[in-house]
Amino acid sequence: MESLSLNIQKDDWKKEKHVPVIELKEPAKKGEPINIHLCVGKEIPHPNTPEHHIRWIKLFFQPDGEKFTIHLGTYMFEAHAESIEGPNKGSAKCEPCVHTSVILEKPGTLIALSYCNIHGLWENSLRVDFEN
Amino acid sequence: MESLSLNIQKDDWKKEKHVPVIELKEPAKKGEPINIHLCVGKEIPHPNTPEHHIRWIKLFFQPDGEKFTIHLGTYMFEAHAESIEGPNKGSAKCEPCVHTSVILEKPGTLIALSYCNIHGLWENSLRVDFEN
Amino acid sequence: MESLSLNIQKDDWKKEKHVPVIELKEPAKKGEPINIHLCVGKEIPHPNTPEHHIRWIKLFFQPDGEKFTIHLGTYMFEAHAESIEGPNKGSAKCEPCVHTSVILEKPGTLIALSYCNIHGLWENSLRVDFEN
Amino acid sequence: MESLSLNIQKDDWKKEKHVPVIELKEPAKKGEPINIHLCVGKEIPHPNTPEHHIRWIKLFFQPDGEKFTIHLGTYMFEAHAESIEGPNKGSAKCEPCVHTSVILEKPGTLIALSYCNIHGLWENSLRVDFEN
Ligand SMILES: [Fe+3]
Ligand SMILES: [Fe+3]
Ligand SMILES: [Fe+3]
Ligand SMILES: [Fe+3]
């Protein structure tokens, strides 16, 4: 049976512009808000046109010792300079980056999944341990 | 490195209520609308409460001979009888099933990914070949 | 203050291809699944290209006598024949139509909101009364 | 005909915890990335439980002199401490706040729409003018 697992691509985000980067700017603490930066194309910008763009990033969390994965959030980038005057003439486009904030009760692994409308699914992960 | 692949669960949908079922009611034809039924809990209904419910199903397509996976659609089930009068007293809830329609130019594999807010990620797939 | 209300467009769906149609194929019954058909472009098809397409339909419900609106679901149409070989050469696209199923405990009004990536927001509504 | 416009609530975000706040931390410049902060419950925190939480914020832009509204992004908050061990025992929850970045070619009005799963739809707006 076919599986999505076979189709999720991985690579080094410094070389491959599709890979979502996950960053924490401060040490994570149990039960306190943790700021998470998610970005596609941080080192090498990805195109952002109606024909080729990053559509979304999803963030998951796998707590240590738990069986089930938790879906934390979805961040959708909907504007890519589309316009009634033609592609790339629109008045707005979004950058495929967000900062969000989560509260974790256990250490574990953050996993980001992103989607390019022509280059498919890409993932990355970041280990989160609490400072004592 | 941790991967989402390790966290996507599979099982027999007739025994396991979380597995999304993908069904075509008619033979698929190249370049013509294909009706796709997606349902979680078709054989064994899944609970639908604020505390435990199916949040979404996503549909992907892997065309034969192509490298990248295509995201066809996301179907979100947002109401679970939440209410200001307390959980399960709300006036509306949705069933985790949709019919949608897509046009495919190549044979390939449909992949559905679903999410239970406490039992995580589940997938299933269906081979699509065109009738001649 | 600017309001989204000023920007949501209405029209006759038989004349204006952006307006979402809401249809029930059978009488609605209290507490039983109600099949709802949602479609944009039912009478006059809307283009479906990377540059111009229907991105999503959202479905809401306003129960009679309640203050707050309930969000029932979001249905996203993600593939529009994008491809690494150029726009409109892709192997898949979706049609902006879904059937979904909800359980309602009160009569009220269904409201559909749809979005075209260059022609903005459009809405329609349908009164739901239960057969006795 | 019923309209979503009748159901979108407005209020002072310093007094009403459901109202999304839109903030720019720096002057906006034409054609350059603008950092936008979106937050629900900034002054008075909103509950975050499986039974009562902020589900999403959507961001729109109405460019001056244009007819159609542009959908910039959707930010979904999916984890609210749900758990197989019971509500509010889960290992993760998200805060209903994001920072995102957009590039605008015209001045106009940003509009945020947020949704509480039991208190419905709320909106706010922010005028964006470019510094010269
Ligand atoms: Fe790409
Ligand atoms: Fe479950
Ligand atoms: Fe249009
Ligand atoms: Fe609330």
Side-chain angles (χ1 to χ4, degrees):
Chain A
M1 189 175 76
E2 184 77 20
S3 168
L4 204 62
S5 306
L6 305 174
N7 305 318
I8 300 177
Q9 304 163 87
K10 287 186 184 192
D11 208 326
D12 177 355
W13 67 267
K14 293 197 177 171
K15 293 180 190 165
E16 168 49 63
K17 64 178 175 286
H18 287 93
V19 179
V21 187
I22 310 171
E23 293 175 299
L24 309 186
K25 296 301 187 187
E26 299 151 32
K29 294 182 185 176
K30 181 181 186 300
E32 294 189 20
I34 298 168
N35 285 304
I36 300 172
H37 296 209
L38 298 171
C39 199
V40 171
K42 190 181 177 186
E43 188 76 20
I44 310 165
H46 187 277
N48 189 353
T49 69
E51 297 88 357
H52 183 197
H53 55 263
I54 302 301
R55 188 75 56 83
W56 48 259
I57 304 174
K58 289 176 98 73
L59 183 64
F60 297 92
F61 180 59
Q62 184 61 52
D64 284 357
E66 294 192 13
K67 183 174 178 189
F68 302 113
T69 301
I70 297 169
H71 181 197
L72 292 173
T74 302
Y75 317 100
M76 306 204 63
F77 312 109
E78 301 277 10
H80 313 286
E82 298 98 328
S83 171
I84 51 172
E85 292 173 27
N88 301 302
K89 296 193 173 164
S91 297
K93 56 185 172 179
C94 22
E95 302 212 292
C97 299
V98 287
H99 300 195
T100 191
S101 177
V102 299
I103 294 172
L104 304 179
E105 300 296 335
K106 289 184 184 174
T109 303
L110 292 167
I111 304 173
L113 181 70
S114 60
Y115 181 70
C116 166
N117 73 325
I118 66 175
H119 296 107
L121 296 162
W122 297 80
E123 74 171 336
N124 202 351
S125 69
L126 182 74
R127 178 77 210 157
V128 179
D129 288 294
F130 298 142
E131 74 166 2
N132 57 351
Chain B
M1 188 176 76
E2 184 77 20
S3 168
L4 204 63
S5 305
L6 305 174
N7 305 318
I8 300 176
Q9 304 164 86
K10 287 186 183 191
D11 209 326
D12 177 355
W13 67 267
K14 293 198 177 171
K15 294 180 189 164
E16 167 48 64
K17 65 177 174 287
H18 287 93
V19 179
V21 186
I22 310 171
E23 293 174 299
L24 309 186
K25 297 300 188 188
E26 298 152 32
K29 293 183 186 175
K30 180 181 186 302
E32 294 189 21
I34 298 168
N35 284 304
I36 300 172
H37 296 209
L38 299 171
C39 200
V40 172
K42 190 182 176 184
E43 188 77 20
I44 310 166
H46 186 278
N48 189 353
T49 70
E51 298 88 357
H52 183 196
H53 54 262
I54 301 303
R55 188 73 58 81
W56 48 257
I57 303 173
K58 289 177 97 73
L59 183 64
F60 297 92
F61 180 59
Q62 185 60 52
D64 285 357
E66 293 192 14
K67 183 175 179 189
F68 303 113
T69 302
I70 297 169
H71 181 198
L72 292 173
T74 301
Y75 317 100
M76 307 205 61
F77 312 109
E78 300 276 11
H80 313 287
E82 297 99 327
S83 172
I84 51 171
E85 293 172 26
N88 301 303
K89 295 191 174 164
S91 298
K93 55 185 171 179
C94 23
E95 301 213 292
C97 300
V98 287
H99 300 196
T100 190
S101 176
V102 300
I103 294 172
L104 305 178
E105 300 297 336
K106 288 184 186 175
T109 304
L110 292 167
I111 304 173
L113 181 69
S114 60
Y115 181 70
C116 166
N117 72 325
I118 66 174
H119 296 108
L121 296 162
W122 298 80
E123 75 171 336
N124 202 351
S125 68
L126 181 74
R127 178 78 209 156
V128 179
D129 287 293
F130 298 140
E131 75 165 2
N132 57 350
Chain C
M1 189 175 75
E2 184 77 20
S3 167
L4 204 62
S5 306
L6 305 175
N7 305 317
I8 301 177
Q9 303 163 88
K10 288 185 183 192
D11 210 326
D12 176 355
W13 66 267
K14 293 198 177 171
K15 293 180 190 164
E16 168 48 64
K17 64 179 176 286
H18 287 94
V19 179
V21 187
I22 309 171
E23 293 174 299
L24 309 186
K25 296 300 187 188
E26 299 152 34
K29 293 181 186 177
K30 180 181 186 300
E32 293 188 22
I34 298 169
N35 285 305
I36 300 172
H37 297 210
L38 299 170
C39 198
V40 172
K42 190 181 177 189
E43 188 76 21
I44 310 165
H46 186 278
N48 189 353
T49 69
E51 297 88 356
H52 184 197
H53 55 263
I54 302 303
R55 188 75 56 81
W56 48 259
I57 303 174
K58 290 176 97 73
L59 183 64
F60 297 92
F61 180 59
Q62 184 61 52
D64 285 357
E66 294 192 13
K67 184 174 177 188
F68 302 114
T69 302
I70 298 169
H71 181 197
L72 292 173
T74 302
Y75 317 100
M76 306 203 63
F77 312 109
E78 301 275 10
H80 313 286
E82 298 98 326
S83 171
I84 52 171
E85 292 171 27
N88 301 303
K89 296 193 173 163
S91 298
K93 56 185 171 180
C94 21
E95 301 213 292
C97 299
V98 288
H99 300 195
T100 189
S101 177
V102 300
I103 295 171
L104 304 179
E105 301 296 337
K106 288 184 186 174
T109 304
L110 292 168
I111 304 174
L113 181 70
S114 60
Y115 181 70
C116 166
N117 73 326
I118 65 175
H119 295 108
L121 295 162
W122 298 80
E123 75 172 335
N124 202 350
S125 68
L126 182 74
R127 177 78 210 156
V128 179
D129 287 294
F130 298 142
E131 75 166 2
N132 57 351
Chain D
M1 189 175 76
E2 184 76 21
S3 166
L4 204 62
S5 306
L6 305 175
N7 304 318
I8 299 177
Q9 303 164 88
K10 288 186 182 191
D11 210 326
D12 177 355
W13 66 267
K14 293 199 177 170
K15 293 180 189 163
E16 167 48 63
K17 64 177 175 288
H18 287 93
V19 179
V21 187
I22 309 172
E23 293 174 299
L24 308 186
K25 296 300 187 188
E26 299 152 33
K29 293 182 187 176
K30 180 182 187 302
E32 294 188 22
I34 299 169
N35 284 304
I36 300 172
H37 296 209
L38 298 170
C39 200
V40 172
K42 190 182 177 185
E43 188 77 20
I44 309 165
H46 186 278
N48 189 352
T49 69
E51 297 89 356
H52 184 196
H53 55 263
I54 302 303
R55 189 75 57 81
W56 47 258
I57 303 174
K58 290 177 96 75
L59 184 64
F60 297 92
F61 180 59
Q62 184 61 51
D64 285 357
E66 294 192 12
K67 183 175 178 189
F68 302 113
T69 302
I70 297 170
H71 181 197
L72 292 173
T74 301
Y75 317 99
M76 306 204 62
F77 312 109
E78 300 276 10
H80 313 286
E82 297 99 327
S83 171
I84 51 171
E85 293 172 25
N88 301 302
K89 296 192 174 163
S91 298
K93 56 185 171 181
C94 23
E95 302 214 290
C97 299
V98 288
H99 300 195
T100 190
S101 178
V102 300
I103 294 171
L104 304 179
E105 300 298 336
K106 289 185 185 173
T109 304
L110 292 167
I111 303 173
L113 180 70
S114 60
Y115 180 70
C116 166
N117 73 325
I118 65 175
H119 295 109
L121 295 163
W122 297 80
E123 75 171 334
N124 202 350
S125 69
L126 182 75
R127 177 78 209 154
V128 179
D129 287 293
F130 298 141
E131 75 165 2
N132 57 350

